[in-house]
Amino acid sequence: MSSYKNVRYDTGNVSQIYGAAFPVSVKIPVNNRQEENTVSILEVTALKKIYGGRFGGNQVEALKNVTFSVEKGEYVAIMGESGSGKTTLLNLLAALDQPTGGTVILDGIRLSSLRESEIAAFRRDQLGFVFQEFQLLDTFTLEDNIFLPLVLAGKSYEEMRRRLTPIAQKLSISDILKKYPYEVSGGQKQRAAVARAMITGPRLILADEPTGALDSRAADELLQLFSEVNRQGQTILTVTHSIKAASSANRVMFIKDGTVFHQIYRGTDTDQQLYQKISDTLTLLATGGMKG
């Protein structure tokens, strides 16, 4: 296994998400955990985010009054036009940014109550991340990339191997774990990224345009994989522009002008039927034919 101690974590989201600069032994205090009600694993209430406005500059209200919940085991897709607030919402859910107002509670923990030194540990323990551009370190093998959050959490090599074996088998990447990212296809990179997201046993997987850098075949395989993982109980929330990607979810939320404008539930619909409903909704939103 690669030596992690002398590696510079300078790959943008990788260091920001997994917190290489923070102590690996941080624990979240019990008194930060809210009383459980918890049918819902994620509670977002009156969330608001304003950018700018200092010294007379123009303010941009990216999120206005976003309120929704996600139940354990749900698979939720968030859609909306560019600038609608999707990425801002995802950043707030991941504690990568602080809201101007409102609250985010994940698994009973109010994110605003966490100290800076606790946030990275919280992300590693509670959240899994899947990015459009994979965010794999080229100097690490796929195996070591997958191990990264566990290394930073101080887990032993034996524990990491024990966790990885069933996940690698499920994702069909056991035979490429010793390869480097530049030696494998985009679909294989994304499967490794999904394995990294799953290996900590996260309460919630956050996916940001997960099929955006994949060809149609690899995208289809990833969506099937997400559906299978979800059926096994994993909660997933994905932001996507892709109608096909969204039609794999069980609920689709539409963000417009910084607020949750509309929702569609799958019910008994097939992927094709949900696809058509999503397409029709996006058309109505774009033409102003749907009111909030």
Side-chain angles (χ1 to χ4, degrees):
M1 185 174 64
S2 302
S3 172
Y4 293 89
K5 292 184 179 179
N6 298 319
V7 174
R8 290 181 59 209
Y9 298 97
D10 55 1
T11 314
N13 281 340
V14 173
S15 60
Q16 189 177 17
I17 290 291
Y18 296 111
F22 295 133
V24 300
S25 60
V26 172
K27 301 295 183 183
I28 306 301
V30 174
N31 61 7
N32 277 350
R33 188 176 295 275
Q34 307 296 305
E35 290 297 322
E36 303 225 356
N37 59 6
T38 64
V39 174
S40 297
I41 193 170
L42 176 68
E43 292 279 356
V44 178
T45 306
L47 201 62
K48 183 177 183 179
K49 181 64 180 181
I50 298 175
Y51 293 104
R54 297 188 65 188
F55 308 112
N58 292 330
Q59 290 189 340
V60 176
E61 194 172 25
L63 295 177
K64 294 180 179 178
N65 184 28
V66 174
T67 297
F68 68 92
S69 62
V70 176
E71 294 184 6
K72 178 176 170 57
E74 270 202 285
Y75 181 179
V76 179
I78 298 176
M79 301 193 77
E81 298 177 346
S82 296
S84 61
K86 303 186 309 299
T87 299
T88 297
L89 176 59
L90 195 68
N91 287 339
L92 295 178
L93 298 182
L96 292 169
D97 198 359
Q98 294 294 321
T100 306
T103 60
V104 177
I105 298 175
L106 176 62
D107 194 27
I109 296 174
R110 187 183 297 266
L111 299 194
S112 62
S113 71
L114 299 176
R115 295 190 296 269
E116 187 66 26
S117 60
E118 297 168 342
I119 290 175
F122 175 82
R123 292 192 200 107
R124 289 196 300 266
D125 295 342
Q126 304 293 336
L127 299 173
F129 296 89
V130 181
F131 305 101
Q132 177 176 344
E133 298 296 338
F134 320 126
Q135 296 292 341
L136 300 174
L137 296 168
D138 283 337
T139 54
F140 281 12
T141 64
L142 296 182
E143 179 181 70
D144 289 348
N145 269 285
I146 295 166
F147 284 160
L148 179 58
L150 296 184
V151 170
L152 296 173
K155 302 298 182 184
S156 68
Y157 180 71
E158 292 73 19
E159 170 70 8
M160 292 189 288
R161 287 297 311 171
R162 184 186 67 78
R163 293 195 191 192
L164 176 58
T165 298
I167 293 174
Q169 292 173 348
K170 181 185 299 182
L171 302 185
S172 300
I173 57 172
S174 299
D175 59 338
I176 60 170
L177 290 174
K178 299 301 182 182
K179 292 182 178 292
Y180 289 85
Y182 54 82
E183 297 179 308
V184 301
S185 69
Q188 290 171 322
K189 289 179 186 177
Q190 197 60 300
R191 284 175 176 265
V194 173
R196 182 182 59 193
M198 293 174 58
I199 200 165
T200 59
R203 300 291 285 168
L204 177 66
I205 287 180
L206 296 174
D208 185 6
E209 298 286 1
T211 62
L214 303 179
D215 60 36
S216 59
R217 179 178 177 179
D220 288 345
E221 290 176 351
L222 179 65
L223 294 177
Q224 291 173 5
L225 176 62
F226 269 17
S227 294
E228 178 184 346
V229 169
N230 172 249
R231 284 194 295 270
Q232 294 172 358
Q234 178 65 59
T235 310
I236 302 173
L237 189 150
T238 181
V239 167
T240 182
H241 282 96
S242 167
I243 298 175
K244 188 168 188 178
S247 63
S248 293
N250 296 318
R251 174 163 52 121
V252 184
M253 292 172 33
F254 298 88
I255 303 291
K256 183 178 181 180
D257 299 329
T259 189
V260 178
F261 197 74
H262 187 63
Q263 298 189 64
I264 295 176
Y265 290 83
R266 173 184 293 276
T268 59
D269 287 347
T270 64
D271 284 1
Q272 185 175 4
Q273 290 169 327
L274 187 58
Y275 183 104
Q276 188 59 54
K277 287 184 177 180
I278 295 169
S279 180
D280 291 345
T281 300
L282 289 174
T283 299
L284 289 170
L285 287 172
T287 60
M290 177 176 287
K291 305 302 180 182

